[in-house]
Amino acid sequence: MNSKNSKARLLQGNEACMLGALYAGVEFFGGYPITPSTEIAEGMAREMPKRGGKFIQMEDEIASMASIIGASNAGCKSMTATSGPGFSLMQENLGYAYMTETPCVVINVQRGGPSTGLPTKVGQSDTMQARWGTHGDYTSITVAPSSVEGCFYETVRAFNLAERFLTPVIVLLDEVMAHMREMMVVPEEGEIEVFKRHRPDVPREWYRHFEITPSLVSPMASFGQGYRYNVSGLTHDQDGFPTAKPKEIVDKLNKLRRKIERYSDEIIKLRTEKMEDAHIAVFSYGIVARTAFQAVKMARERRIKVGAIQPLTIWPFPDEQLRDMLKNVRKVIVAELNMGQLVHEIRRVAPRHTEVIPLQRYDGNVMTPSEIFDKIREVVK
Amino acid sequence: MTANTLQSERIHHYLRPKKSFPNVWCAGCGNGIVMGALIRAIDHLGLDKDKVVVVSGIGCSSRMPVYLDFNTLHTTHGRALAFATGVKLAKPNLKVIVITGDGDALAIGGNHFIHACRRNIDITTILIDNKIYGMTGGQFAPTTPEGKIATTAPYGNYEKQFDPVQLAIGSGASYVARGTVYHVAPLERMIIGGIQKKGFALIDTISNCHTYYGRFNKEGDAVAMINDIRKQAVSVKAAATMSEDKLIGKFLTGVIHETDATEFCDEYQAMCERVLAKGGK
Ligand SMILES: Cc1ncc(C[n+]2csc(CCOP(=O)(O)OP(=O)(O)O)c2C)c(N)n1
Ligand code: SF4
């Protein structure tokens, strides 16, 4: 065994998320147990007290979301973890976090829905909820890994994005990935970048908590630091005071959207396989991307010119990148564990000559490579 | 010097005059009286403004933090205590004060209220108890007495009333008091006592919403309503010498309950130290 392998550990997706959060320097976890995400809360309850971090089991998910926003404004890197029903309960306060530009990370381990649905079975039906779940206009950042190692790295990335762009970031997992075990090497400290929000050092009178600077992201003070700012979910001016002035309203809403759009190149991450000469593409994310990559391999062995595209960032949706990738693609299969969510986005961005073919499964099981392979064979005819 | 005589300049030291005024409250609303009492209590204690965090939900009462020159968090309806819990556990050195309404704390936020009491987390909660939903135009609240008129109880309220004081005591709060917007000096002392108490403190503050409650129930203007509050209030001390008959239609004021239960953040810290002493096991 070489030294690298000796450091490899057999981890579950949920454990990898937890270790990723600790690596990223999480200081506060507030949550409420729900299958299939509970191992994250349990791990945090064990680890946080040993590291000077804070763990609290709140009375429900509404309170969990509220607690992490409070903690984040007090200066802590904060997170929660949940699944469908809990994610629904978090929506109002998640909206508050977008509006108040409060960095935090929310892990949603998807199960089948709607309602209590399939607590122990897999699904991807919260994809649109991650984008549009709370009321009002805003833009979400959502990332979605497809391996245990990915759970670790995407959680670190989620914290970096949240701290960099002062916004909640959602990590979408699913039941299978959360519980699946794989070997992975946890990186040494310092091996990957960890970002913490910039703090202001200007005199108090100069500081505006919601300032709209040319870069659209400005330093963020925390409670107790001496800046004494106001935070409100009411539409506010740059000082945080409620406003009804049309210009200030528009400036605020534009800021929420533009600070993400402006940096979408930095935020968007895609993985592709054999797309160089592909006439057919399989588009999928999360757990389905694993089987899709396998199906592409099977098809390539039969000389079918097919490739795979996997967005690791789902929101903002990679419009430009996909338009480019689909330039020479005649047919794109969109494989998801729901009744069709990202397929609408693909329809929106696909060039006119590209036919969009949905492939959906929503019976609580993962799509197999042969299911996708069969679809590829069907459409190649 | 009684806190009451705090110079207006000194009051301005704690306000944000530039952007947030004029305030949204009706003339004569008890919210302003409570805000004055809170400021004088904080001034009396000499708290560092940078270390005070005032958190609120949504409602007329919950607008208060916006006017105050502290770290202020105006949150979502009913959730102030859940946000405040996050702030306090994250940074226990901050003084956390919650301003909430009776609808905010006891209807939509009832769950957070009982759990904050149960944890006995060091948060001072001033519940402005005006027996109605002011902000949304006068619907009944969990505190509205039976028979009273509200827009959603046009034929008289037939629901039972919550008593926030009993609720807080039963849920584990370590400092529970009731004040009124008439008895301002005692109110200040209760707020001071609540802030000084290490643990969860509730100051249920009986207030007037003449605009809706008073008008619907023919209880007169702000002055008439506050005068009625004065007549109905009986201090805990005075009540001890009164017969039960005499107490009908009255409510108790003063510090009604005080214990020395351990506080949540202290317990968390102690647990961490135990774990570390055992080498993280
Ligand atoms: C989730 C949600 N539901 C309803 C409302 C509407 N709403 C705003 S304030 C309020 C009631 C406020 O009453 P109370 O807490 O007693 O405060 P007051 O205005 O009387 O001071 C309601 C129902 C809201 N803002 N959010
Ligand atoms: S509506 Fe009632 S509670 Fe609201 S400001 Fe007016 S008097 Fe006060």
Side-chain angles (χ1 to χ4, degrees), chain B residues 77-90:
Chain B
H77 189 32
R79 319 299 174 194
L81 282 166
F83 281 84
T85 298
V87 173
K88 184 68 193 179
L89 179 59

Side-chain angles (χ1 to χ4, degrees), chain A residues 61 82-92 94-95 98 106-115 123-136 138-142 168-172 285 314-315 336 338 340-342 345:
Chain A
E61 288 86 348
T82 189
S83 180
F87 193 53
S88 291
L89 284 182
M90 287 176 184
Q91 292 303 325
E92 189 195 7
L94 195 50
Y98 288 115
V106 177
I107 297 181
N108 176 20
V109 184
Q110 296 175 95
R111 57 200 235 180
S115 188
Q124 292 185 320
S125 47
D126 307 347
T127 314
M128 279 295 170
Q129 193 185 15
R131 171 65 187 86
W132 298 107
T134 194
H135 58 282
Y138 63 101
T139 288
S140 133
I141 301 181
T142 301
V169 175
I170 295 164
V171 183
L172 274 189
Y285 82 89
I314 301 180
W315 308 115
E336 323 178 63
N338 55 45
Q341 299 200 8
L342 282 190
E345 292 298 297

